[in-house]
Amino acid sequence: MLMASISDSEATNRGSMWELDQNLDQPMDEEASQLKNMYIEKKFSSILLLRLAFQSLGVVFGDLGTSPLYVFYNIFPHGVDDDEDVIGALSLIIYTLTLIPLMKYVFVVLRANDNGQGGTFALYSLLCRHAKVSTIPNQHKTDEELTTYSRQTYEENSLAAKVKRWLEGHAYKKNCLLILVLIGTCTAIGDGILTPAISVLSASGGIRVQNQNMSTDVVVIVAVVILIGLFCMQHYGTDKVGWLFAPLVLLWFILIGSVGVVNIHKYNSSVLKAYNPVYIFRYFKRGKSEIWASLGGVMLSITGTEALYADLCHFPVLAIQAAYIIDHKDHVADAFYRSIPGPIYWPAFIIATLAAVVASQATISATYSIIKQALALGCFPRVNVVHTSKKFLGQIYIPDINWILMILCIAVTAGFKNQSQIGNAYGTAVVIVMLVTTFLMVPVMLLVWKSHWILVVIFLVLSLTVELPYFTACINKVDQGGWVPLVIAITFFIIMYVWHFCTVKRYEFEMHSKVSMAWILGLGPSLGLVRVPGIGFVYTELASGVPHIFSHFITNLPAIHSVVVFACVKYLPVYTVPVEERFIMKRIGPKNYHMFRCVARYGYKDIHKKDEDFEKMLLDRLLVFVRLESMMDGYSDSEDFTMMEQKGERSTRALLTEKAGSNTMSSIGDMSYSSHDSIMPAKSPLTGNSLTRYSSQTFGDEQEFLNRCKDAGVVHILGNTVVQARRDSGIVKKVAVNYVYAFLRKLCRENSVIFNVPHESLLNVGQIYYI
């Protein structure tokens, strides 16, 4: 491994030929016209929609349907004194469900999806497409030509344009937006830990109803065993898990509905008065100190809010318990199980336990998606992401995260042994996520929807009026278990922010220290070295320019491959990049230099599959590009750009037709060509600026040359960059960079593993960056 040490001052030394370099190596959006393939959106059939709807019972709706297992116990942890308290609490639950899940989420938040993708990172991706708020400036205009890259345009004096300029004005505003997104994301991960803990522990508590002498430890052991089984099933994938869990949840809804009708008639039908909101006013008017604290328990009734459409199931289910509790005030801790008729108790217990397991699946699946989105946006270390379905994009499994979740769930369950404290922690996590969503919706409504500011203010005021009281009630319980989600969120926040900070600094460093193209051209076609047969793929995070790691390579070794391709893999703020639009290829310098650049673009839902031959994809794109380029030869710089583009489109169709009868090429992909790439200096760039067109080789000769180089061997050159804090950095920065980031780098997957690079074809070039 080659090592070099580079400082910030050295990185800013760009050389005397910088102006020439700017002309020779423009960003991809200026140097290449795009031959764009059309992406046809897949339409789901009615049968497929029904299948997905049925699966959603298990994967999503189960969380909502099982909250009755623990809601009333967390509202009245010390028992019930007055019948009207039960009715008032039930009324509060009903109208909380109406205002937050129905009014806020169904009518507003669900519309702010990124092509069907939800969550805080999806909202952030929407904002990144409509304003330059991404902290990693690696996007170009060609990215905006993607069929999945939808965005709005604004009039100069419109409110949306003013908000856009305000957000883009200072770096600290972009950082504040990112921090807000990370807070919501990390708290949602905490939700994914607490949901299985409280659901399974509450379900397991039904054992003690029939055996009052049973110790709490036995219940905890049963819950831990169930949790282990749940997480061990995750590798089968969401598709298979959904089909397994959906029938159980459907059976659960039928069971509680039937039992509810019987119990309301048997015990007390007065609970139906809870639909009158006057009882909410009476509930608070009594002014007991416990009333405000009970809001934390009410918050648990809207866990899994994003499922939304199953909220109607809460009304009859919670009414079941309310009717029973009015007549049995001393049974509030386990009212659900005690309200079940004796003959069907054990079947109901089994179904309830299975339904609680299902409820946990929603947040586990959501956590996988959150981590994948964070990884794609540069906010999480690289981990192994397994695509579990060949039919549906986004159904994934992350083994490392799965086992971390399992350990933390077991720790919470065994550590507390009390669903009241876990409930306090759970409520805190839920309300923080909702508040973050509310604040992120404000710029989304202004920029993406172009909503009138009055509508935005109404949405913000109404949302905060409902959510802030719940937030204060949950925060007051920090010392009673509410600290758990805060600790979890802070831990993940440190991991995400430190990783993102170092990723941004490393990218900025490479941008500042990239090699001048004028210097490369001054070396001549041989690059001052022996050009040995073969193809070298040099991986870089730069979409333009030659990375410093390449200059370090050629100044320390006597030879370089006959063909050099700079490969850049970058993620965009879109949910997916169609395969046919994924690659952009261009030539660097004159043809006899045999240097190319390829940019592979991915969305935050795209993953690198194990059976995906990334090397073959790059080679195929290179050969197709050379063929396409040869068809474009003969056009002068003064020719109309539209003519060139139209010819390129016809050429692409011709290549597609030719490919149908040949196995030489894979899918064409996004091809880019520029007249700038075929020029070379008549003299050395160090002695003159006059440029002339370089007469190109025939396509057949160059294709034969590339095939010979391919047969000679392919080498993948990856940068093994070590990032360290400068000696004059503060203690916090040194700890974050030299210890936290270094530790995370050791744990994360190498790029060579992600791209399935054979070990015998790998060459690591090491550098030390001081930031």
Side-chain angles (χ1 to χ4, degrees):
M1 179 184 292
L2 301 175
M3 297 297 295
S5 177
I6 307 170
S7 64
D8 284 338
S9 61
E10 292 172 321
T12 58
N13 183 13
R14 299 172 183 267
S16 60
M17 299 303 298
W18 189 250
E19 290 185 6
L20 178 61
D21 174 53
Q22 294 301 295
N23 293 327
L24 294 175
D25 192 32
Q26 295 291 332
M28 295 293 282
D29 55 322
E30 296 177 12
E31 70 188 2
S33 61
Q34 198 174 36
L35 301 180
K36 185 176 175 182
N37 293 298
M38 296 304 295
Y39 173 64
I40 302 174
E41 183 179 359
K42 293 181 180 180
K43 301 295 184 182
F44 291 112
S45 65
S46 299
I47 296 177
L48 184 57
L49 286 175
L50 289 174
R51 176 185 172 185
L52 292 174
F54 183 65
Q55 284 186 345
S56 67
L57 280 174
V59 179
V60 180
F61 291 178
D63 190 14
L64 285 163
T66 55
S67 62
L69 290 172
Y70 45 79
V71 168
F72 272 108
Y73 174 62
N74 283 275
I75 295 176
F76 303 111
H78 305 295
V80 179
D81 298 326
D82 194 325
D83 293 351
E84 283 204 358
D85 286 346
V86 179
I87 298 176
L90 179 60
S91 183
L92 188 59
I93 290 172
I94 290 174
Y95 285 98
T96 298
L97 287 166
T98 302
L99 291 174
I100 295 181
L102 183 62
M103 301 299 292
K104 175 184 173 182
Y105 278 84
V106 171
F107 293 118
V108 181
V109 175
L110 278 186
R111 292 180 54 221
N113 65 84
D114 186 12
N115 290 280
Q117 310 301 319
T120 52
F121 267 119
L123 294 178
Y124 183 63
S125 297
L126 282 174
L127 294 175
C128 288
R129 295 206 299 270
H130 289 80
K132 296 178 181 178
V133 295
S134 176
T135 53
I136 303 180
N138 65 344
Q139 297 179 39
H140 296 299
K141 289 183 180 179
T142 49
D143 299 332
E144 299 173 9
E145 299 298 323
L146 288 170
T147 51
T148 54
Y149 199 103
S150 58
R151 55 176 299 179
Q152 300 285 347
T153 56
Y154 313 106
E155 296 181 2
E156 185 176 356
N157 296 323
S158 65
L159 176 60
K162 293 177 181 177
V163 173
K164 180 177 182 292
R165 289 193 295 269
W166 183 82
L167 284 174
E168 296 173 348
H170 297 89
Y172 79 87
K173 296 174 185 176
K174 301 177 184 179
N175 288 327
C176 288
L177 180 63
L178 176 65
I179 289 173
L180 180 64
V181 171
L182 292 182
I183 290 174
T185 301
C186 296
T187 310
I189 294 174
D191 189 9
I193 295 169
L194 294 168
T195 297
I198 191 171
S199 299
V200 173
L201 184 61
S202 299
S204 302
I207 301 176
R208 299 184 63 186
V209 173
Q210 297 294 317
N211 187 357
Q212 296 295 324
N213 296 324
M214 183 177 293
S215 70
T216 304
D217 292 335
V218 175
V219 177
V220 171
I221 291 173
V222 172
V224 168
V225 171
I226 294 174
L227 287 172
I228 293 174
L230 169 65
F231 284 101
C232 288
M233 292 178 59
Q234 294 301 312
H235 70 279
Y236 289 109
T238 309
D239 188 32
K240 299 180 180 64
V241 169
W243 278 109
L244 175 64
F245 286 169
L248 296 175
V249 175
L250 180 61
L251 184 61
W252 164 254
F253 285 153
I254 294 173
L255 171 67
I256 58 180
S258 302
V259 173
V261 172
V262 173
N263 282 340
I264 290 176
H265 175 73
K266 179 179 179 181
Y267 292 110
N268 199 322
S269 61
S270 64
V271 295
L272 298 178
K273 293 187 294 184
Y275 285 95
N276 186 348
V278 172
Y279 285 92
I280 298 177
F281 174 74
R282 294 180 180 178
Y283 184 61
F284 285 106
K285 187 178 179 180
R286 280 187 285 275
K288 297 179 182 179
S289 58
E290 294 84 2
I291 297 297
W292 191 262
S294 68
L295 290 178
V298 175
M299 195 69 204
L300 299 181
S301 66
I302 55 175
T303 57
T305 292
E306 287 74 10
L308 298 177
Y309 297 108
D311 279 332
L312 292 176
C313 298
H314 278 270
F315 299 148
V317 174
L318 293 173
I320 298 170
Q321 291 187 56
Y324 182 85
I325 291 172
I326 289 176
D327 282 359
H328 304 84
K329 298 183 178 63
D330 55 334
H331 291 169
V332 67
D334 43 24
F336 175 79
Y337 283 115
R338 289 184 179 275
S339 66
I340 297 175
I344 63 169
Y345 180 84
W346 287 112
F349 168 76
I350 294 173
I351 295 174
T353 302
L354 294 175
V357 171
V358 173
S360 307
Q361 185 61 43
T363 51
I364 294 174
S365 300
T367 302
Y368 295 154
S369 297
I370 288 171
I371 295 298
K372 177 63 180 71
Q373 293 174 12
L375 188 154
L377 296 175
C379 295
F380 201 81
R382 297 182 296 271
V383 292
N384 182 26
V385 179
V386 180
H387 198 258
T388 59
S389 174
K390 296 181 179 179
K391 298 179 180 179
F392 306 118
L393 180 69
Q395 294 194 0
I396 58 175
Y397 163 67
I398 305 179
D400 298 335
I401 299 301
N402 183 70
W403 305 127
I404 291 174
L405 290 179
M406 185 188 75
I407 293 171
L408 292 177
C409 282
I410 293 174
V412 170
T413 304
F416 281 119
K417 303 180 182 180
N418 186 325
Q419 61 170 291
S420 177
Q421 290 183 316
I422 300 178
N424 294 337
Y426 195 14
T428 304
V430 171
V431 72
I432 291 176
V433 174
M434 289 184 177
L435 282 172
V436 170
T437 301
T438 298
F439 289 124
L440 285 177
M441 282 300 301
V442 173
V444 168
M445 294 176 72
L446 291 171
L447 289 177
V448 182
W449 297 349
K450 301 180 183 177
S451 301
H452 195 281
W453 66 270
I454 293 179
L455 294 177
V456 178
V457 171
I458 292 174
F459 168 80
L460 183 63
V461 171
L462 290 179
S463 297
L464 294 181
T465 300
V466 177
E467 292 169 0
L468 284 179
Y470 285 115
F471 176 74
T472 57
C474 291
I475 290 298
N476 286 333
K477 295 183 177 182
V478 169
D479 60 336
Q480 303 173 35
W483 57 270
V484 173
L486 300 180
V487 171
I488 295 173
I490 290 172
T491 302
F492 277 93
F493 179 85
I494 291 174
I495 292 173
M496 289 187 176
Y497 192 80
V498 168
W499 185 267
H500 184 76
F501 172 80
C502 293
T503 299
V504 171
K505 290 300 180 182
R506 190 177 65 183
Y507 182 83
E508 292 176 350
F509 189 92
E510 293 188 0
M511 281 291 295
H512 294 156
S513 61
K514 63 182 181 181
V515 179
S516 168
M517 274 301 302
W519 179 76
I520 293 290
L521 294 177
L523 297 175
S526 67
L527 300 178
L529 304 169
V530 176
R531 300 295 292 267
V532 298
I535 299 177
F537 287 108
V538 181
Y539 290 84
T540 173
E541 295 183 7
L542 301 179
S544 63
V546 178
H548 185 277
I549 202 170
F550 182 69
S551 68
H552 175 55
F553 180 78
I554 64 177
T555 54
N556 285 271
L557 291 178
I560 190 66
H561 300 89
S562 299
V563 177
V564 176
V565 180
F566 296 101
C568 170
V569 178
K570 70 175 183 178
Y571 287 88
L572 302 178
V574 295
Y575 76 103
T576 185
V577 175
V579 176
E580 59 269 25
E581 299 180 47
R582 178 155 295 161
F583 293 90
I584 295 179
M585 183 75 71
K586 66 152 292 191
R587 185 187 295 276
I588 299 178
K591 287 190 174 181
N592 61 341
Y593 279 59
H594 302 299
M595 296 175 64
F596 303 86
R597 173 181 295 115
C598 179
V599 178
R601 303 173 296 181
Y602 291 84
Y604 57 78
K605 281 289 185 180
D606 295 326
I607 64 172
H608 305 279
K609 301 179 182 178
K610 282 187 176 181
D611 57 349
E612 186 177 71
D613 193 338
F614 192 71
E615 177 184 301
K616 182 178 184 300
M617 294 168 67
L618 291 176
L619 291 172
D620 287 346
R621 267 55 176 195
L622 176 60
L623 292 171
V624 172
F625 168 76
V626 171
R627 180 182 299 181
L628 179 61
E629 184 188 47
S630 69
M631 295 179 180
M632 291 181 172
D633 275 349
Y635 283 89
S636 67
D637 292 341
S638 61
E639 289 181 309
D640 185 72
F641 175 83
T642 305
M643 292 177 59
M644 181 187 236
E645 189 176 47
Q646 290 174 349
K647 178 175 177 63
E649 290 175 354
R650 290 195 297 269
S651 301
T652 302
R653 295 192 195 102
L655 285 174
L656 286 170
T657 304
E658 182 177 344
K659 176 181 178 295
S662 171
N663 294 326
T664 304
M665 306 297 175
S666 64
S667 60
I668 296 300
D670 243 352
M671 293 301 162
S672 302
Y673 175 76
S674 170
S675 59
H676 290 294
D677 298 329
S678 57
I679 60 176
M680 68 168 292
K683 301 179 182 179
S684 170
L686 299 178
T687 60
N689 291 327
S690 59
L691 300 174
T692 184
R693 178 169 294 277
Y694 174 76
S695 57
S696 63
Q697 298 173 317
T698 64
F699 162 67
D701 291 341
E702 187 165 19
Q703 185 185 38
E704 183 181 353
F705 174 76
L706 291 175
N707 285 326
R708 288 201 308 267
C709 292
K710 175 183 174 182
D711 294 337
V714 177
V715 174
H716 298 263
I717 305 171
L718 276 72
N720 190 358
T721 305
V722 177
V723 179
Q724 292 186 358
R726 293 196 303 265
R727 292 182 178 87
D728 58 347
S729 301
I731 184 65
V732 175
K733 185 176 180 180
K734 286 183 177 179
V735 171
V737 176
N738 296 346
Y739 296 98
V740 178
Y741 182 73
F743 176 73
L744 294 175
R745 285 270 296 179
K746 291 180 180 179
L747 295 180
C748 74
R749 301 180 80 209
E750 296 292 339
N751 281 325
S752 58
V753 178
I754 296 176
F755 300 126
N756 302 314
V757 176
H759 184 72
E760 60 273 11
S761 302
L762 177 64
L763 177 61
N764 279 314
V765 180
Q767 293 185 109
I768 299 177
Y769 287 172
Y770 290 99
I771 60 175

